[in-house]
Amino acid sequence: MSMLTIHSPEIVETDEGVKLQSTFEMDGSSDILWYEVENKYRDYLTVERVDAFVVGLFLLAFKKGYDIQVLGSISERLYYTLNMHLLPLTAEVRGYTPIKIHCDNLVADPLTNAGGVGTGLSCGVDTFTTICSHLAGECPNDYKISHFTFYNVGSNGTLGGANARSLFKKRVNLVKPCADELGIDLITVDSNISEILHMGFYETHSYRNISATLALQKLFHVYYYSSAYSLKYFELKPGSPGHYDVFNMSMLSTENLSFFSTNPYETRVEKTRVVSQYKPAEKYLNVCIVDGVNCGGCEKCVRTLFTIEVLGKLKEFSSIFNLDNYYKRRDKYIAKILAYRDSDDYMQEIYEEMVKLNFKTPVYSKLAANYLKMRRIVWR
Ligand SMILES: [Zn+2]
């Protein structure tokens, strides 16, 4: 049977910093997957284990239908959870041929670990909800965030390359002031995983992000992956691992590092409420899907701003959004909520909040909603 073979990682110095990289072989040719950090984080690069590379590459092996041969050491726990739980489930859910990982060097001894607690800092609603609950308040000390991360593993461009890399650098500069104001270190990790995988980001994001974090297993003992979906929407959805991240995170944890899918119960409206009451978010909240700054007019900007408006906090966020663009689209968006809420969980959530808080619906939106509903009936 054909194999995807992964070699032990090595550390290589670069112009930008230092890389943890592994050679892998498939179909008679070889390639290199790498993760790059600043020089000061060099000691945390986990050269002792192939864990990061197995998690980064298993979907590629699935795509080919190949087993994975690991020539270095792998966490015994990870070997067990992948072979006995995550890989069989992934094969079933995505309709792939089942694959296995083979390795002669299973290691159960934990690595020396700096005890860091990390989470990604995208400055979106999910991130800030995680920050609110894990930086201040009642969170035990060993579970309080000590480091923020920002990765180039697909969120800046699914297929990677120069454009994604330049957007990555631009976004690092946008989130850095937030990390500085909160007094937390920001670790950036660049990687070529997008160029290697050639797969959609939405269907692979959990594994890409966790893979980069496993490259830093000597730093982190806990890592929070901010969930986009409340657990009440749990579903084994073929193209969306985010819908079952609570399972993924447990299955990707090792003897050194525990992953948690955070905010499992809050709905998007509840998260937005938490974030709208958190002062630093007024300066740094960033939800736009169009560009580095909040355009105010894209789907995510409008959705977030309208929720904030219903919650009575629009004024507080007026300096970081283009409100002219928002007002151009607002009434139409409200009409869509009224017309489509039956078939859209989020629209239903926000509608319930509008009713609860006696939000005054514009006449235009009511009329437009009737039109949209009628059009829907006619088209059926
Ligand atoms: Zn936008």
Side-chain angles (χ1 to χ4, degrees):
M1 185 192 182
S2 295
M3 284 272 184
L4 189 159
T5 304
I6 311 176
H7 292 258
S8 271
E10 55 183 347
I11 289 180
V12 177
E13 281 175 27
T14 65
D15 294 342
E16 306 265 330
V18 58
K19 271 179 185 171
L20 181 73
Q21 66 177 41
S22 263
T23 302
F24 65 94
E25 285 145 17
M26 197 172 62
D27 297 331
S29 62
S30 76
D31 209 337
I32 289 173
L33 172 61
W34 53 260
Y35 302 91
E36 183 179 59
V37 296
E38 285 175 75
N39 229 327
K40 61 178 168 177
Y41 301 116
R42 181 194 185 108
D43 291 348
Y44 301 126
L45 289 178
T46 308
V47 73
E48 296 86 347
R49 305 270 195 278
V50 191
D51 300 355
F53 299 90
V54 172
V55 172
L57 293 170
F58 80 85
L59 284 175
L60 188 63
F62 262 126
K63 214 160 81 172
K64 290 278 184 178
Y66 295 168
D67 276 9
I68 297 175
Q69 177 76 49
V70 175
L71 296 181
S73 304
I74 182 173
S75 144
E76 185 178 61
R77 183 194 146 98
L78 187 65
Y79 174 87
Y80 161 74
T81 51
L82 288 179
N83 269 341
M84 305 290 276
H85 300 272
L86 189 60
L87 297 188
L89 181 103
T90 305
E92 175 71 25
V93 168
R94 298 194 183 218
Y96 289 135
T97 307
I99 61 167
K100 283 244 171 243
I101 294 164
H102 307 274
C103 179
D104 294 331
N105 302 305
L106 306 183
V107 193
D109 297 336
L111 294 153
T112 318
N113 182 287
V117 179
T119 196
L121 184 68
S122 68
C123 285
V125 170
D126 299 318
T127 299
F128 271 121
T129 310
T130 299
I131 292 174
C132 287
S133 48
H134 293 85
L135 199 54
E138 291 172 12
C139 189
N141 276 337
D142 280 356
Y143 291 83
K144 271 191 184 154
I145 295 166
S146 64
H147 293 76
F148 288 131
T149 62
F150 198 88
Y151 299 153
N152 184 32
V153 294
S155 65
N156 307 298
T158 289
L159 301 178
N163 285 346
R165 194 146 290 119
S166 98
L167 185 57
F168 163 63
K169 286 177 180 161
K170 191 171 154 189
R171 284 179 169 162
V172 166
N173 290 328
L174 282 171
V175 303
K176 181 82 170 67
C178 178
D180 290 345
E181 186 169 323
L182 296 174
I184 304 283
D185 254 7
L186 176 70
I187 304 179
T188 60
V189 179
D190 194 358
S191 171
N192 68 336
I193 190 166
S194 303
E195 288 97 316
I196 299 277
L197 286 184
H198 274 274
M199 298 172 101
F201 184 66
Y202 185 74
E203 56 183 295
T204 54
H205 63 92
S206 313
Y207 311 116
R208 294 172 184 235
N209 281 289
I210 295 317
S211 148
T213 309
L214 285 169
L216 294 163
Q217 271 188 84
K218 287 190 280 188
L219 170 59
F220 296 123
H221 86 109
V222 168
Y223 191 87
Y224 304 119
Y225 194 54
S226 298
S227 165
Y229 301 100
S230 156
L231 202 48
K232 83 176 186 197
Y233 303 126
F234 181 95
E235 190 186 343
L236 293 171
K237 228 178 176 174
S240 177
H243 277 85
Y244 52 97
D245 260 346
V246 71
F247 175 77
N248 287 319
M249 293 307 127
S250 167
M251 293 304 111
L252 297 170
S253 296
T254 68
E255 291 81 359
N256 301 283
L257 175 48
S258 300
F259 291 105
F260 294 96
S261 172
T262 44
N263 324 316
Y265 41 86
E266 292 102 333
T267 64
R268 185 140 297 271
V269 170
E270 285 157 3
K271 286 180 193 175
T272 310
R273 188 201 317 279
V274 169
V275 172
S276 73
Q277 292 164 355
Y278 183 60
K279 271 274 163 205
E282 292 174 14
K283 243 156 104 185
Y284 299 112
L285 181 65
N286 190 317
V287 301
C288 193
I289 50 174
V290 174
D291 197 12
V293 287
N294 293 307
C295 74
C298 74
E299 195 194 320
K300 265 184 98 179
C301 279
V302 172
R303 185 177 82 179
T304 308
L305 277 173
F306 181 62
T307 313
I308 288 174
E309 183 181 347
V310 172
L311 296 169
K313 289 280 190 176
L314 193 58
K315 206 173 128 256
E316 284 83 343
F317 288 82
S318 58
S319 67
I320 55 166
F321 284 90
N322 183 331
L323 288 190
D324 289 343
N325 282 341
Y326 169 61
Y327 282 119
K328 276 182 210 152
R329 290 162 181 85
R330 167 187 180 269
D331 291 2
K332 216 178 247 175
Y333 179 69
I334 300 172
K336 281 190 188 164
I337 293 174
L338 299 178
Y340 302 143
R341 64 188 172 87
D342 291 347
S343 54
D344 184 301
D345 292 334
Y346 182 72
M347 287 186 173
Q348 182 60 28
E349 277 174 29
I350 183 72
Y351 175 75
E352 284 168 15
E353 201 66 21
M354 287 163 70
V355 172
K356 206 164 84 192
L357 297 176
N358 284 321
F359 183 81
K360 205 170 166 316
T361 307
V363 176
Y364 166 85
S365 305
K366 287 182 186 164
L367 294 173
N370 287 337
Y371 170 73
L372 288 174
K373 278 190 224 165
M374 239 163 56
R375 203 176 60 172
R376 224 173 161 196
I377 292 164
V378 172
W379 278 0
R380 269 181 198 155

